[in-house]
């Protein structure tokens, strides 16, 4: 087992790199330790000698977009305090990619292509996962519709009662991606602080999540590129985070300056450890990493 | 005080004045959402269980449980009598509360009694005990065709599988958590 999952993991890394190479993406690597992070209400960063360990490479990657790099990807470590469970590690491996001149719909397509590509090239130990990924028509389901189908209350009611996360985790997620992968899309505006508002409905953001076997694999969106709007959303996120005792450092001003130089772009983060779990048929994230924090 | 992020299997907390133990625990966190702690909790007095999801800012009081060392004295019908080794106070615990523990208790054994608001609610035995074999079938020497274990009965009436060389009158060490044979005890 120890040998097989590490070699499977390596094969997946190589297949991912090959996919982006063939599509002429540039592989980048950016600093893990930053003086200020993008504030997010529900993420607790780890401090490192007065700076912070990145919770995602999003800040640096969008600054690279602003410098004129139009197609970039990165596989790197991210750190989130107090996240530990069968699907969570406080230090985990993330794949992120960003591209200019596309929106979240294009990105869902590209995400689907990536997973089909990887699944075909990796000697998977999980025929069940392969059958799901090989399905000809992946499901595209709006958050509103998903709550209507599976939730004990509607999306509107869940938001009013402050129960969105509970209903999502208890009723909706366990129903997603078992026959074919499911893209859950169009999230309430307050649940996408870095995503662009949907032009047809300003209560929603152009954000999606990919689910397979009830497990969230990836989160992507059309990028918000209005610096003023982004600044006011950061103020709100920082207030909520401060209430929970989390700090992200100073307002990321250089990021906001650079944001103005991006016209249209979309970006996505995919949990690599969870992708390895899927292709190995593993039930727990501990089974697909070389070391967990507990056995260091 | 505990917060929800301290929750884990085996943690004992007080809810509405009753002691509960976490029997199942799952951390979940939807993308961009908040951390949710899904638990199954069992009332340590009544045994009743329920499921509940907590958020990171939920707080719990540590269940006020006290562990007292007591000596097992004797049993009378359904009641098992113990004496606190410090205060010499005597208490009785029912067979139902003791569960499988009664298979491994011998007179004068020291045990840890869990006390909640002056009520004994459970007993923890040493991880292993030495008990005398009171009934065993003789081992047919040279018989290599059969299975490699045989059943024996120990002084408490408990029956378990042991290697064929164990004989009546032997003392054997038993793991109280699994109820399984560990080794033959040297006198």
């Amino acid at each position: 087992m120890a040998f097989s999952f590490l070699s499977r993991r390596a094969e997946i890394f190589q297949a991912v790199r090959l996919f982006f190479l063939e599509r002429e993406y540039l592989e980048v690597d950016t600093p893990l330790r930053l003086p200020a992070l993008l504030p997010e209400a529900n993420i607790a960063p780890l401090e490192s000698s007065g700076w912070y360990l990145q919770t995602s490479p999003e800040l640096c990657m969008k600054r690279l977009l602003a410098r004129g790099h139009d197609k970039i990807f990165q596989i790197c470590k991210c750190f989130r305090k107090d996240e530990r469970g069968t699907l969570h590690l406080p230090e985990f491996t993330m794949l992120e990619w960003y591209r200019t001149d596309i929106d979240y719909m294009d990105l869902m397509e590209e995400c689907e292509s990536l997973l089909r590509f990887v699944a075909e090239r990796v000697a998977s130990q999980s025929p069940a996962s392969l059958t799901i990924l090989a399905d000809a028509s992946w499901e595209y389901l709006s958050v509103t519709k998903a709550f209507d189908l599976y939730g004990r209350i509607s999306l509107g009611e869940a938001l009013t009662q402050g129960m969105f996360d509970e209903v999502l985790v208890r009723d909706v997620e366990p129903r997603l991606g078992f026959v074919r992968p499911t893209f859950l899309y169009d999230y309430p505006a307050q649940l996408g602080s870095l995503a662009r508002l949907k032009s047809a409905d300003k209560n929603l953001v152009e954000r999606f999540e990919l689910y397979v076997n009830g497990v969230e694999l990836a989160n992507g969106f059309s990028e918000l590129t209005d610096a003023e709007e982004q600044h006011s959303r950061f103020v709100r996120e920082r207030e909520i985070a401060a209430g929970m005792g989390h700090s992200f450092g100073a307002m990321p001003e250089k990021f906001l300056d650079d944001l103005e130089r991006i016209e249209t772009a979309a970006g996505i983060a995919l949990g690599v450890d969870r992708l390895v779990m899927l292709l190995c048929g593993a039930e727990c994230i501990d089974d697909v990493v070389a070391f967990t924090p507990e056995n260091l | 005080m505990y917060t929800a992020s301290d929750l884990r299997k085996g943690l004992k907390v007080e809810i509405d004045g009753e002691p509960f133990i976490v029997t199942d625990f799952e951390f979940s966190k939807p993308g961009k959402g908040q951390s949710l702690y899904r638990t199954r909790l069992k009332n340590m007095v009544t045994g009743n269980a329920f499921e509940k999801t907590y958020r990171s800012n939920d707080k719990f009081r540590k269940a006020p449980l006290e562990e007292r060392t007591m000596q097992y004295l004797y049993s009378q019908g359904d009641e098992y009598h113990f004496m606190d080794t410090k205060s010499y106070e005597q208490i009785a615990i029912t067979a139902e509360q003791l569960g499988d523990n009664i298979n491994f208790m011998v007179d004068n054994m020291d045990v840890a009694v869990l006390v909640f608001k002056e009520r004994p609610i459970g007993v923890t035995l040493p991880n292993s005990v030495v008990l005398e074999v009171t009934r065993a079938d003789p081992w047919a020497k040279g018989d290599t065709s059969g299975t490699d274990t045989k059943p024996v009965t120990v002084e408490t009436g408990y029956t378990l599988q042991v290697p064929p060389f164990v004989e009546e009158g032997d003392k054997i060490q038993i793991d109280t958590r699994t109820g399984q044979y560990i080794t033959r005890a040297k006198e």
Side-chain angles (χ1 to χ4, degrees):
Chain A
M1 174 68 189
F3 171 75
S4 69
F5 89 80
L6 274 184
S7 43
R8 201 76 61 235
R9 195 177 162 93
E11 279 175 25
I12 292 165
F13 276 57
Q14 285 161 26
V16 167
R17 290 200 159 96
L18 185 61
F19 174 85
F20 287 109
L21 194 69
E22 285 184 1
R23 296 193 167 217
E24 297 180 324
Y25 271 81
L26 180 70
E27 178 165 9
V28 297
D29 59 322
T30 56
L32 297 182
R33 196 173 151 266
L34 304 165
L37 304 180
L38 305 181
E40 287 200 51
N42 294 312
I43 292 181
L46 279 167
E47 284 186 39
S48 166
S49 301
W51 283 24
Y52 300 87
L53 298 179
Q54 69 175 5
T55 55
S56 138
E58 186 164 2
L59 184 153
C60 288
M61 292 190 74
K62 283 201 213 166
R63 291 191 65 190
L64 289 178
L65 287 182
R67 281 195 208 164
H69 296 288
D70 57 352
K71 290 163 87 174
I72 50 175
F73 81 98
Q74 171 158 212
I75 300 174
C76 61
K77 292 291 189 185
C78 294
F79 303 84
R80 296 180 183 181
K81 200 176 159 191
D82 294 335
E83 296 194 7
R84 183 71 177 102
T86 53
L87 296 171
H88 292 83
L89 286 168
E91 173 178 345
F92 62 101
T93 303
M94 192 90 105
L95 160 68
E96 292 206 5
W97 73 97
Y98 292 80
R99 183 170 176 178
T100 53
D101 300 322
I102 62 165
D103 69 5
Y104 74 137
M105 288 289 171
D106 304 317
L107 201 51
M108 282 189 249
E109 264 183 51
E110 190 160 55
C111 180
E112 183 175 331
S113 304
L114 168 72
L115 291 190
R116 288 184 190 280
F117 182 94
V118 173
E120 277 169 21
R121 272 155 193 81
V122 172
S124 172
Q125 288 165 319
S126 174
S129 301
L130 286 190
T131 307
I132 296 173
L133 291 176
D135 188 276
S137 57
W138 289 20
E139 182 180 32
Y140 287 69
L141 182 65
S142 76
V143 176
T144 310
K145 183 122 182 267
F147 273 64
D148 286 344
L149 282 176
Y150 308 128
R152 65 194 65 189
I153 49 177
S154 73
L155 174 61
E157 288 166 329
L159 290 171
T160 316
Q161 296 171 24
M163 294 290 284
F164 179 88
D165 292 329
E166 278 86 352
V167 178
L168 182 71
V169 164
R170 215 170 37 192
D171 302 347
V172 181
E173 287 187 336
R175 309 290 293 274
L176 303 180
F178 284 92
V179 179
R180 52 194 173 140
T182 301
F183 282 110
L184 199 60
Y185 69 96
D186 284 353
Y187 278 71
Q190 59 269 45
L191 300 172
S193 78
L194 293 143
R196 184 171 79 187
L197 291 176
K198 208 172 154 65
S199 51
D201 185 348
K202 300 288 183 199
N203 293 316
L204 300 173
V205 282
E206 295 186 350
R207 178 187 153 206
F208 67 89
E209 298 253 6
L210 172 65
Y211 285 87
V212 183
N213 285 338
V215 174
E216 175 203 337
L217 268 188
N219 170 60
F221 40 84
S222 307
E223 302 295 344
L224 172 66
T225 54
D226 177 340
E228 209 174 307
E229 165 75 13
Q230 187 67 80
H231 182 274
S232 62
R233 291 200 203 169
F234 279 170
V235 170
R236 197 192 61 196
E237 295 289 315
R238 285 164 65 93
E239 273 170 14
I240 301 173
M244 295 167 66
H246 307 152
S247 166
F248 293 84
M251 183 64 82
E253 298 292 352
K254 286 180 183 155
F255 169 85
L256 290 168
D257 291 346
D258 283 349
L259 202 56
E260 290 290 353
R261 282 191 284 278
I262 307 171
E263 284 199 8
T264 314
I268 174 170
L270 184 149
V272 177
D273 306 304
R274 292 187 186 176
L275 177 61
V276 181
M277 284 174 66
L278 175 68
L279 293 170
C280 287
E283 298 276 317
C284 180
I285 199 165
D286 296 23
D287 298 337
V288 299
V289 293
F291 297 97
T292 61
E294 295 79 10
N295 62 24
L296 283 176
Chain B
M1 280 298 239
Y2 294 119
T3 63
S5 60
D6 296 316
L7 289 172
R8 59 182 186 279
K9 243 186 207 176
L11 191 75
K12 294 160 188 144
V13 296
E14 189 185 65
I15 299 169
D16 298 332
E18 296 277 304
F20 283 83
I21 182 163
V22 179
T23 54
D24 262 309
F25 171 73
E26 201 180 332
F27 172 80
S28 56
K29 189 174 193 300
K32 310 278 174 193
Q34 55 197 323
S35 298
L36 298 176
Y37 304 84
R38 294 198 281 170
T39 58
R40 188 174 168 80
L41 294 137
K42 193 173 92 178
N43 186 312
M44 296 175 73
V45 179
T46 64
N48 292 338
F50 73 96
E51 281 174 22
K52 187 158 177 182
T53 299
Y54 294 97
R55 297 182 179 188
S56 18
N57 45 2
D58 287 329
K59 291 186 170 53
F60 304 87
R61 224 198 309 240
K62 194 176 167 185
L65 297 164
E66 198 190 331
E67 217 174 56
R68 293 187 195 155
T69 305
M70 297 201 188
Q71 194 176 49
Y72 170 52
L73 300 175
Y74 60 93
S75 69
Q76 198 170 31
D78 197 29
E79 291 199 328
Y80 290 71
H81 294 262
F82 296 83
M83 182 182 69
D84 190 317
T85 54
K86 270 196 195 132
S87 65
Y88 303 108
E89 180 196 352
Q90 289 192 22
I91 58 156
I93 302 181
T94 65
E96 195 189 345
Q97 279 178 302
L98 289 167
D100 289 341
N101 286 328
I102 58 169
N103 291 329
F104 312 110
M105 292 187 336
V106 288
D107 296 357
N108 303 324
M109 172 192 264
D110 278 348
V111 301
V113 176
L114 203 58
V115 179
F116 175 73
K117 295 184 177 164
E118 296 306 314
R119 274 184 294 166
I121 60 168
V123 167
T124 311
L125 301 187
N127 288 342
S128 72
V129 293
V130 173
L131 297 175
E132 189 180 327
V133 176
T134 52
R135 215 183 71 207
D137 293 333
W139 179 31
K141 282 212 165 82
D143 175 13
T144 52
S145 62
T147 53
D148 48 5
T149 61
K150 65 174 185 184
V152 296
T153 305
V154 294
E155 57 190 297
T156 59
Y158 177 64
T159 303
L160 73 163
Q161 292 290 324
V162 300
F165 54 77
V166 174
E167 290 168 357
E168 211 167 284
D170 280 353
K171 296 204 163 169
I172 59 172
Q173 200 180 4
I174 302 172
D175 189 319
T176 58
R177 295 159 299 182
T178 61
Q180 284 172 350
Y181 170 87
I182 302 173
T183 183
R184 193 157 50 166
K186 301 247 163 28
E187 279 303 315

